[in-house]
Amino acid sequence: MASEKVAMAEHVEKGSNSIDHATHPEVNQTDLKTSNEAHAVIEKEHNMTPWQALRIYPKAVGWSLLLSCAIIMEGYDVVLLGSFLGFPAFNEKYGNLMSDGTYGLTASWQAGLNNAMACGQIIGLFLNGIVSERYGYRKTLMTCLAATVGFVFILFFAPNISTLVAGELLMGIPLGVYQTLTVTYASEVCPVSLRAYLTTYVNLCWVFGQLIASGVLKGLATRTDQWAYRIPFAIQWIWPVPIFIGVYLAPESPWWLVRKDRREDAVKSLKRLTRANSPGFSAEETVSMIIYTNALEKRVETGTSYLDCFKGIDRRRTEIACCVWAAQSLCGAGLMGYSTVFYQRAGLAVSQSFTMSLVQYAIGVIGTLSSWVLMTYLGRRTLYVGGLGLLTVVLLVIGFVSIARSTSAISWATGSMLLVYTFIYDSTVGPVCFSLVSEMPSSRLRTKSIVLARNVYNILNLVTGIIIPYMLNVDAWNWRGKSGFFWGALCIICLVWSFFRLPEPKGRSYAELDILFENRVPTRQFATAKTGLVQEDLKEEASV
């Protein structure tokens, strides 16, 4: 039986997947023993339940959860800026007297403040794609954590809005690194059955950051002195230090070590990521699977540069990753940060409006936890496509409600629908996106593909960061709830794309995904197509 499986594996490599050992020396480097071990590990991961994986990989889960906490800082900072627009002390310091008799930032300064951080994130993302691949995930993340501590000084002591914008630009650079490095690390240190949970946990950390920021702002909303806005900035000094210590002690990604031809270090890293003497687990065999996957990608000429992301079969993989993350921006998610403004216009006091924001982000936490259950039964594709459909309905409802004459009741209705939107978004599109963008690229291009995808998102956020303030500002377009029509139309476009182009990666190892993309399997056949890498597929192929 073993010899039959070896023969069939060789058939898969030479036949169905067109591997020519004579012309592809990369595959010759993965000897028969490595190939057999790789197939064995892929088979085990297919049969491994999440609870079994958790018993074997508890340390990997712990390290991944710790590193992902870095993204809390991004969620915190994003909400801080959006919520400060409804914060009296901040507006009196940095804003001007508006036509309605209150202090506030002009639409142009609002856009500048929001987009400064987005510009910094774009720079940080591209740097991460180069630096992390050269120096490793740990060193890159520790450098960014140290930089964060320094950049908070600029925000804390900013004497005017111009300095604040400059500080947000610089702060965006390490935040951009956190966006991709954390999800990449999470996707590489865990088996298939845990991959979706650990990558979507990144979204949960983002929501935690939002929740913390709203709680801090609510507690300080009644203050009228400079500490009302300086304390929220100062809080950002708290978490870089413990996370830095954790990253220093954490093992490096075994996938990165294999790409650097450091097999022994990869084995040591895996042993640190798993429980010692776990039955049925072998660090050496798992590294063989990583080497095997790396060789598969080499033979289809998958390189490691940004340009390689747009060549051959990787073009399709890059398109999917980029569009999946683009939909996060195009589906109207930017409106969630402005629910506080709608509640204030409905007549709520500043403190009460921030209470409603706390409720909104608490709903986001519940939604993300719900997504873990939904993904288990529905898969990524169904949840993502269905989520876009539901968000479209909510946005159109917001639009139609706003057609009526603007009243306190309309503002209440709009703000409440944003709470519904938040739950649907954080149950579907928000967290599932992180899982999809980490699974779609090849392992050799994963970091750079995620960087490109996130930068598409950030560039679109530059646009939305400009137009949303104009849509809602009383001295600009003043669309208010009618913005729902605009974002609803874009959401429909995203829904159509995802239905025809987004495949289902649930339960697939990275080697299997490589083969599915190489064989140009149609989108809606990904869930059922055979790859020849597991025993069930080999039996079916042998019977043909």
Side-chain angles (χ1 to χ4, degrees), residues 232-289:
F233 283 133
I235 287 175
Q236 294 180 94
W237 276 317
I238 295 176
W239 41 69
V241 174
I243 296 175
F244 183 96
I245 296 171
V247 176
Y248 176 78
L249 298 173
E252 185 58 87
S253 164
W255 288 82
W256 181 82
L257 292 168
V258 165
R259 291 196 294 274
K260 295 300 177 181
D261 296 322
R262 296 166 56 181
R263 175 173 182 139
E264 292 305 316
D265 289 336
V267 172
K268 292 177 183 177
S269 176
L270 263 172
K271 288 180 178 178
R272 290 191 61 200
L273 290 165
T274 54
R275 178 175 291 166
N277 302 318
S278 296
F281 173 79
S282 168
E284 289 78 7
E285 288 184 354
T286 304
V287 169
S288 292
M289 182 269 292

Side-chain angles (χ1 to χ4, degrees), residues 86 221 340 343-356 412:
T340 303
Y343 284 121
Q344 288 183 12
R345 288 178 179 172
L348 282 181
V350 173
S351 178
Q352 292 173 320
S353 66
F354 280 109
T355 299
M356 294 303 294
W412 265 109

Side-chain angles (χ1 to χ4, degrees), residues 459-530:
I459 290 170
L460 289 172
N461 267 4
L462 284 174
V463 179
T464 60
I466 293 172
I467 64 176
I468 288 180
Y470 280 90
M471 287 178 176
L472 304 181
N473 195 287
V474 294
D475 290 335
W477 303 345
N478 199 26
W479 287 10
R480 298 188 182 184
K482 295 183 181 67
S483 304
F485 288 124
F486 177 85
W487 297 112
L490 290 179
C491 204
I492 290 173
I493 295 173
C494 296
L495 175 62
V496 172
W497 172 87
S498 62
F499 181 81
F500 289 104
R501 298 291 291 170
L502 180 62
E504 176 58 75
K506 180 185 176 184
R508 298 291 193 179
S509 68
Y510 290 129
E512 288 179 286
L513 289 173
D514 289 339
I515 291 175
L516 290 172
F517 277 110
E518 183 189 350
N519 291 341
R520 293 175 170 78
V521 173
T523 297
R524 279 172 280 179
Q525 293 180 20
F526 256 64
T528 57
K530 306 302 179 184

Side-chain angles (χ1 to χ4, degrees), residues 191-239:
V192 173
S193 55
L194 294 178
R195 197 166 61 202
Y197 306 108
L198 293 183
T199 51
T200 54
Y201 174 77
V202 173
N203 184 77
L204 187 61
C205 287
W206 198 73
V207 177
F208 279 149
Q210 296 175 317
L211 190 62
I212 294 170
S214 294
V216 170
L217 290 171
K218 173 177 167 53
L220 298 170
T222 56
R223 295 188 69 113
T224 57
D225 59 5
Q226 62 178 333
W227 296 106
Y229 52 86
R230 284 192 170 179
I231 289 176
F233 283 133
I235 287 175
Q236 294 180 94
W237 276 317
I238 295 176
W239 41 69

Side-chain angles (χ1 to χ4, degrees), residues 414-431:
T414 303
S416 300
M417 287 307 297
L418 286 175
L419 294 182
V420 176
Y421 181 101
T422 298
F423 178 77
I424 296 173
Y425 176 87
D426 284 311
S427 300
T428 57
V429 175

Side-chain angles (χ1 to χ4, degrees), residues 290-437:
I290 298 173
I291 294 172
Y292 180 82
T293 305
N294 191 53
L296 279 177
E297 294 173 0
K298 279 185 177 180
R299 68 147 171 98
V300 292
E301 300 178 353
T302 295
T304 56
S305 70
Y306 279 114
L307 186 60
D308 290 315
C309 294
F310 301 97
K311 293 180 179 178
I313 60 174
D314 286 302
R315 188 185 303 112
R316 179 187 178 191
R317 305 176 81 157
T318 302
E319 174 218 330
I320 295 170
C322 289
C323 290
V324 162
W325 226 327
Q328 264 200 340
S329 180
L330 296 176
C331 71
L335 290 175
M336 290 189 293
Y338 291 88
S339 59
T340 303
V341 176
F342 282 107
Y343 284 121
Q344 288 183 12
R345 288 178 179 172
L348 282 181
V350 173
S351 178
Q352 292 173 320
S353 66
F354 280 109
T355 299
M356 294 303 294
S357 293
L358 276 172
V359 172
Q360 175 180 332
Y361 297 124
I363 288 173
V365 172
I366 297 171
T368 303
L369 295 175
S370 300
S371 73
W372 292 356
V373 178
L374 294 172
M375 274 192 297
T376 302
Y377 295 100
L378 300 178
R380 277 67 126 181
R381 171 185 159 82
T382 302
L383 200 55
Y384 193 87
V385 175
L388 286 173
L390 292 174
L391 293 179
T392 299
V393 173
V394 173
L395 288 167
L396 293 179
V397 169
I398 290 174
F400 282 114
V401 166
S402 68
I403 293 177
R405 185 172 61 87
S406 181
T407 62
S408 174
I410 295 300
S411 293
W412 265 109
T414 303
S416 300
M417 287 307 297
L418 286 175
L419 294 182
V420 176
Y421 181 101
T422 298
F423 178 77
I424 296 173
Y425 176 87
D426 284 311
S427 300
T428 57
V429 175
V432 175
C433 170
F434 288 94
S435 179
L436 288 169
V437 296

